[in-house]
């Protein structure tokens, strides 16, 4: 068994609105990430994917607040650390983040090399300009970026170059865990393929040890990650290998997600897609029982009132459902 590089136990984080309402966008989330492996997180917009990514950094800005639970990176419990210590000792080296809409993450009034200087000097105040430039140049060459881009402003770079630049800045300190939040969503197909290949190359070279890849495109995760976690209404509802989640989804929500995807190989005329009825619950006042019950055609009255715990199945698979694996397979068989 490989070394566990990231362990998350019963993590809960919330947003506090200007009306002092609590919105628990991450609720009782637990998982482990082994060194050398990549995990994908999928789910509808608003399910908590990006909030989970921000929460895993251990560095909170209002309106996002930490509530309870543990985040342990390489044996260090960062939820017990002071915010300034997290910024100086964890961010960038232990865990790094490629933000959603990364092309807009760079300040247009600063040259790229200045971003890299700031990141490195937080962790190594004695680093010389030559050391910083040499490291930046090496990383840019690895990502097929011209060294001249180091001295440019972000507005002088193309969309694909901006994305690769953000990846270079995020990984400049060789983090143990990289969180990529929809890093290819705003790019054309060719640029998407290039960005994903670069991230995989960074893993293959050992520059990053493990990765969390967030997207709403399940087929993309199949080609990028080893494991997939499906998130719904702030909770993880199913976890399994990429093969299990794509070809044999178990939770009714996971199955609904896969049923709503049109696979080109099936042919557009013959293929059938099915939408999931209804909408996700309001996280200001989440329902009792299973949060998917109101949209689930297999739900019983008990599903709407009983607390649903995560069941640990064979082959490290997990599912949050009152129905057993055998019962779920029986109801699917009749369709």
């Amino acid at each position: 068994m490989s070394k566990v590089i990231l362990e998350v136990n019963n993590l809960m984080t919330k947003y506090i609105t200007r009306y002092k309402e609590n919105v628990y966008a991450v609720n009782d989330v637990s998982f482990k990430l082994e060194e050398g492996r990549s995990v994908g997180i999928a789910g509808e917009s608003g399910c908590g994917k990006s909030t989970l990514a921000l929460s895993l950094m251990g560095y909170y800005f209002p309106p996002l607040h930490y509530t309870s639970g543990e985040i342990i990176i390489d044996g260090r419990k960062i939820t017990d650390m002071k915010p300034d210590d997290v910024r100086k000792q964890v961010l960038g080296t232990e865990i790094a983040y490629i933000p959603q809409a990364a092309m807009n993450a760079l300040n247009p009034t600063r040259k790229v090399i200045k971003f890299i200087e700031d990141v490195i000097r937080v962790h190594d105040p004695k680093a010389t300009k030559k050391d910083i430039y040499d490291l930046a140049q090496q990383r840019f060459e690895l990502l097929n970026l011209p060294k001249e881009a180091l001295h440019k402003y972000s507005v002088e770079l193309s969309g694909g170059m901006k994305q690769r630049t953000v990846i270079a800045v995020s990984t400049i300190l060789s983090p143990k865990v990289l969180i990529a939040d929809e890093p290819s969503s705003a790019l054309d197909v060719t640029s998407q393929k290039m960005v994903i290949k670069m991230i995989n190359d960074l893993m293959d070279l050992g520059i990053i040890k493990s990765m969390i890849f967030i997207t709403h495109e399940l087929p993309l995760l199949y080609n990028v990650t080893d494991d997939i976690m499906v998130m719904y209404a702030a909770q993880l509802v199913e976890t399994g290998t990429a093969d299990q989640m794509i070809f044999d989804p178990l939770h009714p929500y996971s199955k609904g997600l896969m049923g709503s995807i049109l696979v080109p190989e099936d042919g557009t005329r013959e293929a059938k897609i099915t939408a999931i009825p209804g909408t996700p619950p309001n996280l200001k006042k989440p329902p009792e029982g299973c949060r998917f019950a109101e949209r689930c055609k297999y739900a019983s009255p008990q599903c709407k009132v009983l607390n649903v715990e995560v069941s640990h199945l064979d082959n490290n698979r997990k599912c949050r459902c009152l129905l057993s694996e055998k019962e779920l397979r029986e109801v699917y068989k009749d369709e």
Side-chain angles (χ1 to χ4, degrees):
M1 183 177 177
S2 300
K3 174 184 177 182
V4 174
I5 199 77
L6 173 66
E7 181 176 353
V8 181
N9 297 315
N10 308 113
L11 182 64
M12 294 187 69
T13 62
K14 65 182 179 181
Y15 292 104
I16 301 179
T17 71
R18 59 177 178 170
Y19 302 110
K20 305 302 180 182
E21 298 169 305
N22 292 325
V23 181
Y24 288 93
V26 174
N27 190 298
D28 191 28
V29 168
S30 299
F31 68 93
K32 294 179 181 179
L33 176 63
E34 295 178 356
E35 185 174 311
R37 291 187 71 81
S38 56
V39 62
I41 303 177
E44 291 172 279
S45 296
C47 70
K49 302 187 301 294
S50 294
T51 302
L52 175 58
L54 292 172
S55 299
L56 293 176
M57 304 292 287
Y59 193 62
Y60 302 96
F61 292 94
L64 180 61
H65 298 265
Y66 165 77
T67 301
S68 62
E70 297 178 329
I71 302 170
I72 304 169
I73 302 177
D74 200 18
R76 179 189 291 189
K77 190 186 296 185
I78 66 172
T79 40
D80 286 347
M81 297 174 64
K82 296 178 181 179
D84 197 48
D85 290 337
V86 172
R87 184 177 67 86
K88 292 179 179 179
Q89 301 175 27
V90 175
L91 299 184
T93 54
E94 303 291 308
I95 190 165
Y97 179 56
I98 300 174
Q100 201 171 30
M103 288 190 293
N104 300 320
L106 299 172
N107 186 332
T109 66
R110 305 191 73 200
K111 292 183 178 180
V112 171
I113 189 63
K114 294 298 182 183
F115 287 102
I116 296 175
E117 286 181 9
D118 289 346
V119 171
I120 292 177
R121 286 205 165 122
V122 166
H123 298 273
D124 185 7
K126 296 181 180 179
T128 66
K129 283 195 173 184
K130 182 180 184 305
D131 291 338
I132 293 171
Y133 181 77
D134 288 346
L135 178 59
Q137 185 176 335
Q138 291 172 12
R139 190 56 48 85
F140 266 49
E141 288 176 355
L142 181 63
L143 295 176
N144 293 323
L145 284 163
K147 62 182 180 181
E148 291 77 16
L150 287 167
H151 303 287
K152 292 183 180 293
Y153 296 96
S154 62
V155 293
E156 300 178 274
L157 305 177
S158 67
M161 289 180 70
K162 285 181 186 177
Q163 190 75 313
R164 282 178 281 158
T165 297
V166 172
I167 293 172
V169 174
S170 298
T171 62
I172 197 70
L173 295 173
S174 302
K176 294 173 183 175
V177 179
L178 176 68
I179 302 174
D181 191 355
E182 301 200 34
S184 60
S185 59
L187 301 175
D188 58 80
V189 175
T190 302
S191 296
Q192 281 185 354
K193 186 175 180 181
M194 183 183 298
V195 165
I196 291 169
K197 181 181 183 303
M198 287 176 179
I199 294 175
N200 285 332
D201 287 345
L202 291 174
M203 277 199 68
D204 292 340
L205 292 169
I207 292 173
I208 57 177
K209 303 297 184 185
S210 302
M211 177 176 66
I212 296 173
F213 195 101
I214 298 173
T215 183
H216 57 273
E217 301 177 53
L218 274 169
L220 176 61
L221 289 180
Y222 180 69
N223 293 299
V224 176
T225 63
D226 302 305
D227 305 295
I228 296 175
M229 303 189 298
V230 172
M231 198 166 186
Y232 180 78
Q235 297 180 327
L236 294 180
V237 295
E238 188 175 0
T239 302
T241 66
D243 279 323
Q244 289 171 335
M245 300 301 293
I246 297 298
F247 300 111
D248 186 31
L250 193 57
H251 192 279
Y253 177 65
S254 304
K255 198 166 185 66
L257 279 184
M258 284 306 303
S260 65
I261 296 171
L262 182 64
V263 182
E265 289 81 357
D266 292 340
T268 54
R269 292 186 178 180
E270 295 80 9
K272 295 182 179 179
I273 59 175
T274 55
I276 302 174
T279 57
N282 185 342
L283 293 181
K284 292 180 183 178
K285 295 181 179 179
E288 295 182 10
C290 175
R291 297 189 173 191
F292 187 60
E294 290 294 338
R295 306 174 70 187
C296 180
K297 60 183 177 180
Y298 313 111
S300 66
Q302 285 185 316
C303 295
K304 300 180 181 181
V305 295
L306 295 181
N307 185 38
V308 185
E309 301 290 344
V310 174
S311 298
H312 294 254
L313 311 177
D314 292 335
N315 301 316
N316 293 321
R317 194 167 188 175
K318 299 175 185 177
C319 184
R320 188 186 293 266
C321 185
L322 283 182
L323 295 178
S324 67
E325 179 177 358
K326 182 179 180 181
E327 289 171 327
L328 285 168
R329 294 196 184 284
E330 284 296 322
V331 295
Y332 295 155
K333 190 187 299 183
D334 297 333
E335 295 182 344

